[in-house]
Amino acid sequence: MSNEMDRDTGHDYDGIKEFDNPLPGWWLLTFYATIIFAFLYVIHYESGSGNTLKKDLEIALAQIEAVKATAGPAPLESEDKLLEKAKDPQLLAVGAEHFQSKCASCHGNELQGLIGPNLTDNFWIHGKGTITDMVATVRTGIPEKGMPPWEGILKNEEVLAVASFIHSKLGSNPPNPKEPQGTKVE
Amino acid sequence: MMNPMKGANVESLKNNNLVKVVYDDKIVKAFLLATMVFAGIAFLVGVLVAFQLSYWPLNLNMEWFTFGRMRPLHTNAAIFAFAGNAIFAGIYYSTQRLCKTRMFNDTLSWLHFWGWQAIILSAAITLPLGYSQGKEYAELEWPIDIAIAVFWVIFAVNFFGTLLRRREKHIYVALWFYISTIITVAMLHIVNSIEYPVSFLKSYPVWAGVQDAMIQWWYGHNAVAFFLTTPFLGLMYYFIPKAVNRPVYSYRLSIVHFWALIFIYIWAGPHHLLYTALPDWAQTFGMVFSVMLWAPSWGGMINGLLTLRGVWHLLRTDPIIKFFVTAVTFYGMSTFEGPLLSIKSVSHIAHYTDWIIGHVHGGTLGWNGFMVFGMTYFLIPKLWRTEMYSKSLMVSHFWIGFTGIILYYVSMAAAGITQGLMWRAMDGNGNLLYPDFVETVLKIVPLYWVRAIGGTLYLVGFFIMCYNVYKTIQMAPAHQADTEVLVAATEKESHSEPETGHRRLEGLVPTFSVLAFLAVFVGSVLEIYPSLNLKQYIKDEAPVAPYTPLEIAGRDIYIKEGCYTCHSQMIRQLADDVLRFGKPSTISESMYDRPFQWGSKRTGPDLARVGKKYPNLWHYKHMLDPRSVTPKSIMPNYPWLADNTIDFISIRKKVSVMNAMGVPYDEKTIAQADVVAENEAKVIAKDLADQGITQPGLERKEIVALIAYMQALGQKEKKKGDDNGKTVAGSL
């Protein structure tokens, strides 16, 4: 402690006195440092040398697009191969779980149809009721009719799981079915 | 109450140039007891909402009991009722003593007291009933806003009147902080509350969209600054030196950190809006001023803590010092964390999460709460002329409360960082790792339980204090009189040596006050003025369509139910936000939003582009029972929306008020807004009926209006060419 420490100012307010100690050096340095940082930061971003938020977002989205391009869409497998996979009980269990949490609110717990069409009969609006068709519909949705695309929320394996689950319920004749919609597929 | 003095004494006093001053202790007692009553309510409601978040059935399917209405009650009670009354108690006690005079006018003191309690009572009634402006910490409707302004001015007159009658030439640093508090809160409240009444308890702010966002967070951030920081620093400067009987560490530091703090604080509001549609420059200024705020804030902490040099042993032995030192330490932590959270890349993780809730409660429970508890334990024995009933109960209060804060803070910081990282996590294929929002909520529900337990401990500690205070007052001598002191009558004139610089200013209250006002006014004008002209950000003549009459009614239900307390409507300019919710929100999309509903917390997902994402039936089922469409959702049920009837006639007035504020409606829509709304409602009700909802009279129920509003979100941009296309990454 230097001699300068604890020099009394002579102030007295209701018995409260004040020392006249200097500003702590580290504190002052911190303050100066933040002010210098502020100037540099503002100059960097307001002069145009730093990216705008919009530009940064475009760069980030372009990188994601690039990753998606290299990852590519899942290779399309033949209907037969998919049918083979669809028998896996583990896959069906995963599909059932996702169906209950994401699809049942519109298609019914028993797939009997509610807001969306009955998925157990042999009438189809989009596609012809093949697993390949179901995978496509789950992925891209039917946005104009209120069905959201699930690609991005469900992983490829999960999309297949849901499609397999729906396929396994074909002809299950649940109670209170919604009236047939679309074209009959024999 | 002035006790009549004996004639002989008066004579001798006059001869010695001494006057007898009787301080008004009754008003301090009244504010202090009101503080305790409302602390109980604020903490109790806080614990309730904490448990509602952990366990949704606690919303009880009751209209006035749901989280969306209880949360504004909690924040308003904590800030304005608990902290407010505590500030007034401390200010009335210390100002009289620092000025060596009684308060300017006893009638004004009591008007202030009862007016403020009436405001709190009206808030406690209107908020659960759903009368809300939908602006955080400024929810109260226009008649109450006017009352707040009136009673604040009464307080100001009383305070400044006292300063002008002071028997000390100079004003002490505590008074500087009180002055800046009173001036700035008045400015913030009045500007943020400029609104256009629709009916007795309904109004729309004149500010719209990005303007409203800018002004609301200028207000909201500085409510923290000038209601929860500067007055408490003033209390710190009075009560800590008093309690430890040591000189303040550095007068020079007081000067520098006071002026730096009030000048810089006012600019920092936009750090609540980082990455939003707010123009980049405002965000940049909000961030750098927040960073520069670190040192001025710590100046207060240093002066508080270093005042204890030489008497640190009191921390072990004196429970009051335990509270004060812990409070100042939490102040230091919060004011370090604040600038940190304002850095854009940190905000990316923390914003909209519970980390912010943790940050705020570190400040309120730790700094404000413990300052008030310390002050209460200091004042109660002095005011009632006795000793505290039990020192060991004070120590128990301290440790239980402290454990509560730690549990609260740690659980919320962990929850916030966990969820913030989950929201942005990507898999190797360019997809979100946790695209299902509810998944990221369920992950942190266990931490909500920990938080609720932490809050309960804090409440238990408070109850211990109540018991202790009750027993103390019970023990107090029956005869209670105000404090009397003898002071030199001419103190004010006795210093005649010339003074320079700041010392001179401390003798000139009007000049000091004007400078303090300028310090907060400059930043306010420079930051807010550019946003007053929306045109410069919105190039097109009419880029978005205004809300239809039914959508306005639905929007008012959204505000009434406090949906903004859990849902944002602002997709930030961040890749993970865009992947999850769609393309970034624009300024023009909210240009007719009065109030703006960008939100500050995502307990549920963002809703800026929820329109047309789900069918009407989905929304119908979701409002009545969220779990029927999103299993495990923690959102409350809103069954009354299907029972309550829309007040169609009021829509006419609403549309004409909107039109008066410049929202373009054609004359027919204005004249027949109720009929237009009824027809819109019929379309939605018919669609629901087609899907099997057979409720009679459905087309007149609130739920239909709310669905209309939900389906309009993100759908109002006028389509031209491919402008409305999806983002590269697609929209969900």
Side-chain angles (χ1 to χ4, degrees):
Chain A
M1 277 189 200
S2 68
N3 293 336
E4 216 191 333
M5 288 305 280
D6 289 359
R7 198 161 51 80
D8 191 2
T9 54
H11 304 168
D12 184 335
Y13 302 95
D14 192 30
I16 299 173
K17 296 184 177 0
E18 293 182 295
F19 286 138
D20 194 25
N21 283 321
L23 309 175
W26 64 269
W27 176 83
L28 207 54
L29 277 179
T30 309
F31 195 19
Y32 289 152
T34 57
I35 293 172
I36 292 168
F37 167 79
F39 271 96
L40 294 178
Y41 189 90
V42 170
I43 291 167
H44 180 61
Y45 281 100
E46 290 305 302
S47 70
S49 68
N51 285 340
T52 61
L53 295 179
K54 193 170 173 229
K55 179 82 187 157
D56 273 340
L57 173 64
E58 281 165 8
I59 293 170
L61 289 177
Q63 280 169 351
I64 290 167
E65 276 308 290
V67 170
K68 281 194 169 169
T70 50
L76 268 184
E77 296 180 72
S78 67
E79 178 77 8
D80 290 344
K81 253 190 172 167
L82 289 178
L83 277 174
E84 192 57 39
K85 277 191 181 176
K87 288 177 188 153
D88 178 2
Q90 263 185 332
L91 193 72
L92 288 174
V94 172
E97 196 183 309
H98 283 293
F99 187 91
Q100 287 308 326
S101 68
K102 298 182 176 68
C103 318
S105 59
C106 289
H107 293 284
N109 289 332
E110 305 292 326
L111 292 73
Q112 75 276 21
L114 209 58
I115 307 171
N118 182 342
L119 299 176
T120 60
D121 59 12
N122 51 359
F123 287 81
W124 291 92
I125 308 172
H126 304 282
K128 292 185 157 55
T130 63
I131 288 204
T132 317
D133 290 335
M134 292 173 187
V135 166
T137 306
V138 171
R139 264 195 195 143
T140 58
I142 315 291
E144 64 276 14
K145 292 196 178 167
M147 173 163 166
W150 293 99
E151 193 172 28
I153 295 186
L154 294 175
K155 297 178 182 70
N156 282 333
E157 277 300 299
E158 292 165 340
V159 170
L160 178 61
V162 171
S164 306
F165 172 74
I166 297 170
H167 195 267
S168 74
K169 293 287 180 182
L170 282 178
S172 58
N173 282 325
N176 305 318
K178 197 175 177 184
E179 80 285 1
Q181 289 167 286
T183 329
K184 190 166 186 183
V185 178
E186 297 299 336
Chain B
M1 187 173 65
M2 287 276 190
N3 289 329
M5 290 183 280
K6 285 176 186 164
N9 278 350
V10 175
E11 278 310 304
S12 71
L13 289 178
K14 276 188 181 159
N15 289 343
N16 294 329
N17 252 351
L18 288 177
V19 285
K20 183 166 161 183
V21 175
V22 183
Y23 294 142
D24 187 355
D25 286 343
K26 287 200 185 60
I27 190 74
V28 182
K29 288 180 179 176
F31 274 120
L32 203 58
L33 293 179
T35 303
M36 296 193 59
V37 170
F38 291 117
I41 292 173
F43 301 166
L44 206 59
V45 178
V47 168
L48 167 72
V49 292
F51 277 107
Q52 285 180 331
L53 284 170
S54 325
Y55 184 63
W56 68 266
L58 278 178
N59 288 285
L60 302 183
N61 293 344
M62 251 200 276
E63 200 172 338
W64 45 270
F65 201 71
T66 42
F67 179 85
R69 298 194 192 183
M70 286 291 113
R71 194 261 189 180
L73 183 66
H74 165 63
T75 53
N76 280 279
I79 299 171
F80 300 110
F82 165 58
N85 275 310
I87 293 164
F88 300 142
I91 289 180
Y92 275 88
Y93 183 85
S94 58
T95 301
Q96 299 186 82
R97 283 154 178 85
L98 290 169
C99 294
K100 294 200 174 127
T101 183
R102 193 180 172 89
M103 285 310 291
F104 175 63
N105 182 306
D106 284 8
T107 312
L108 290 183
S109 299
W110 288 103
L111 259 180
H112 175 208
F113 176 79
W114 287 111
W116 198 258
Q117 312 316 318
I119 288 166
I120 294 168
L121 188 66
S122 58
I125 295 169
T126 55
L127 290 173
L129 290 178
Y131 297 105
S132 166
Q133 292 198 45
K135 290 170 64 128
E136 280 183 81
Y137 330 125
E139 281 94 348
L140 300 174
E141 264 300 348
W142 67 270
I144 309 176
D145 275 345
I146 292 174
I148 293 172
V150 167
F151 287 102
W152 194 261
V153 169
I154 287 174
F155 168 47
V157 170
N158 204 14
F159 174 80
F160 282 105
T162 310
L163 289 197
L164 294 179
R165 281 194 180 175
R166 70 193 186 279
R167 293 191 177 86
E168 283 278 2
K169 179 167 185 188
H170 300 99
I171 50 171
Y172 175 57
V173 52
L175 298 173
W176 313 348
F177 278 105
Y178 301 160
I179 289 173
S180 79
T181 299
I182 292 172
I183 293 174
T184 315
V185 168
M187 174 180 81
L188 294 167
H189 171 69
I190 291 170
V191 175
N192 189 46
S193 304
I194 303 179
E195 56 228 10
Y196 203 134
V198 176
S199 61
F200 175 55
L201 284 175
K202 175 72 197 167
S203 65
Y204 294 120
V206 295
W207 318 115
V210 69
Q211 285 174 344
D212 196 34
M214 183 67 220
I215 289 171
Q216 162 63 27
W217 283 114
W218 167 78
Y219 164 88
H221 176 71
N222 289 300
V224 175
F226 290 90
F227 213 93
L228 300 178
T229 304
T230 54
F232 281 86
L233 283 170
L235 300 179
M236 177 194 88
Y237 272 112
Y238 182 82
F239 288 102
I240 289 192
K242 273 285 181 190
V244 300
N245 199 20
R246 290 280 302 163
V248 171
Y249 173 71
S250 170
Y251 164 63
R252 270 186 265 175
L253 183 59
S254 303
I255 297 174
V256 176
H257 102 90
F258 169 75
W259 289 103
L261 188 85
I262 65 169
F263 174 74
I264 294 176
Y265 233 127
I266 204 84
W267 291 79
H271 70 215
H272 292 257
L273 301 168
L274 297 180
Y275 293 107
T276 66
L278 184 75
D280 280 20
W281 69 267
Q283 300 190 29
T284 298
F285 275 82
M287 172 184 147
V288 297
F289 273 89
S290 306
V291 171
M292 285 190 283
L293 200 49
W294 173 21
S297 301
W298 271 25
M301 173 188 71
I302 292 166
N303 242 354
L305 290 181
L306 292 190
T307 295
L308 277 96
R309 283 173 318 144
V311 288
W312 279 110
H313 59 91
L314 290 176
L315 187 55
R316 281 199 307 274
T317 54
D318 186 345
I320 294 177
I321 306 307
K322 283 188 208 289
F323 278 105
F324 281 151
V325 167
T326 309
V328 177
T329 309
F330 270 109
Y331 175 63
M333 279 171 49
S334 298
T335 53
F336 172 72
E337 194 183 29
L340 178 74
L341 288 166
S342 302
I343 294 171
K344 284 183 189 158
S345 42
V346 182
S347 170
H348 179 178
I349 298 181
H351 193 49
Y352 294 134
T353 75
D354 286 296
W355 189 357
I356 305 300
I357 314 299
H359 167 63
V360 171
H361 284 83
T364 48
L365 301 176
W367 161 237
N368 301 123
F370 272 27
M371 272 307 292
V372 174
F373 299 152
M375 182 181 92
T376 306
Y377 287 128
F378 178 87
L379 283 179
I380 293 280
K382 287 208 162 37
L383 291 170
W384 271 271
R385 295 167 203 291
T386 178
E387 298 285 311
M388 279 307 295
Y389 166 71
S390 162
K391 194 171 156 182
S392 64
L393 284 181
M394 288 160 76
V395 175
S396 312
H397 175 195
F398 173 81
W399 284 111
I400 293 172
F402 182 72
T403 312
I405 303 174
I406 297 296
L407 285 180
Y408 195 113
Y409 178 77
V410 172
S411 62
M412 286 297 94
I417 293 169
T418 302
Q419 204 179 21
L421 291 175
M422 286 177 87
W423 286 346
R424 67 190 286 174
M426 307 274 292
D427 67 10
N429 299 326
N431 294 317
L432 293 170
L433 198 55
Y434 305 99
D436 227 0
F437 190 90
V438 71
E439 201 180 349
T440 71
V441 177
L442 295 174
K443 189 85 179 172
I444 59 172
V445 166
L447 292 165
Y448 282 174
W449 284 103
V450 176
R451 179 257 303 272
I453 293 165
T456 307
L457 286 179
Y458 195 81
L459 181 66
V460 168
F462 169 73
F463 284 146
I464 293 174
M465 172 166 121
C466 291
Y467 175 73
N468 206 354
V469 166
Y470 171 75
K471 295 298 273 188
T472 304
I473 293 177
Q474 211 179 29
M475 287 185 337
H479 176 71
Q480 292 282 323
D482 283 349
T483 309
E484 296 177 2
V485 288
L486 291 175
V487 298
T490 52
E491 174 78 21
K492 200 173 164 186
E493 288 79 29
S494 64
H495 286 283
S496 53
E497 72 269 25
E499 290 173 334
T500 51
H502 202 270
R503 191 64 183 155
R504 185 150 175 262
L505 191 59
E506 290 161 29
L508 306 168
V509 168
T511 316
F512 190 100
S513 305
V514 169
L515 288 176
F517 172 68
L518 286 177
V520 293
F521 185 68
V522 171
S524 306
V525 171
L526 290 179
E527 226 173 43
I528 290 175
Y529 183 73
S531 76
L532 294 185
N533 185 3
L534 268 178
K535 284 275 185 294
Q536 65 175 358
Y537 301 119
I538 300 171
K539 302 285 186 289
D540 292 350
E541 201 50 46
V544 296
Y547 294 110
T548 66
L550 187 65
E551 288 161 12
I552 289 187
R555 191 166 202 274
D556 285 343
I557 295 165
Y558 184 94
I559 291 165
K560 180 183 181 185
E561 298 301 345
C563 304
Y564 65 92
T565 58
C566 288
H567 293 280
S568 59
Q569 288 185 21
M570 173 46 65
I571 302 169
R572 294 172 297 171
Q573 303 174 61
L574 289 168
D576 45 306
D577 255 28
V578 171
L579 290 177
R580 190 177 295 276
F581 301 116
K583 66 172 183 166
S585 299
T586 63
I587 288 184
S588 47
E589 281 175 303
S590 54
M591 67 185 286
Y592 300 129
D593 285 12
R594 287 186 169 88
F596 83 115
Q597 291 286 283
W598 294 5
S600 65
K601 176 73 174 68
R602 284 180 185 158
T603 303
D606 187 274
L607 300 179
R609 302 204 182 283
V610 81
K612 301 278 189 281
K613 186 175 167 184
Y614 304 106
N616 292 336
L617 181 59
W618 187 95
H619 285 290
Y620 181 87
K621 294 174 67 174
H622 184 246
M623 292 299 166
L624 299 188
D625 176 13
R627 280 143 295 278
S628 70
V629 291
T630 308
K632 296 182 185 164
S633 164
I634 64 168
M635 181 169 136
N637 299 334
Y638 291 83
W640 58 90
L641 293 178
D643 298 330
N644 293 356
T645 308
I646 305 167
D647 180 5
F648 282 100
I649 294 301
S650 74
I651 300 176
R652 217 188 274 184
K653 185 74 194 290
K654 288 174 179 180
V655 171
S656 73
V657 166
M658 286 289 186
N659 185 247
M661 289 191 288
V663 183
Y665 288 106
D666 57 55
E667 280 178 23
K668 191 177 159 236
T669 309
I670 300 167
Q672 301 186 20
D674 51 332
V675 181
V676 175
E678 280 174 13
N679 289 334
E680 290 179 75
K682 278 176 195 151
V683 174
I684 293 174
K686 165 91 170 46
D687 177 59
L688 289 172
D690 288 347
Q691 308 283 354
I693 303 300
T694 52
Q695 185 185 339
L698 186 59
E699 71 279 3
R700 303 197 69 81
K701 301 301 179 193
E702 287 188 338
I703 196 162
V704 171
L706 189 55
I707 291 174
Y709 175 59
M710 290 282 108
Q711 298 292 24
L713 287 171
Q715 297 292 315
K716 287 292 177 183
E717 229 172 356
K718 287 193 177 157
K719 326 230 157 159
K720 49 170 202 261
D722 57 359
D723 201 21
N724 194 42
K726 290 179 175 182
T727 60
V728 263
S731 72
L732 273 176

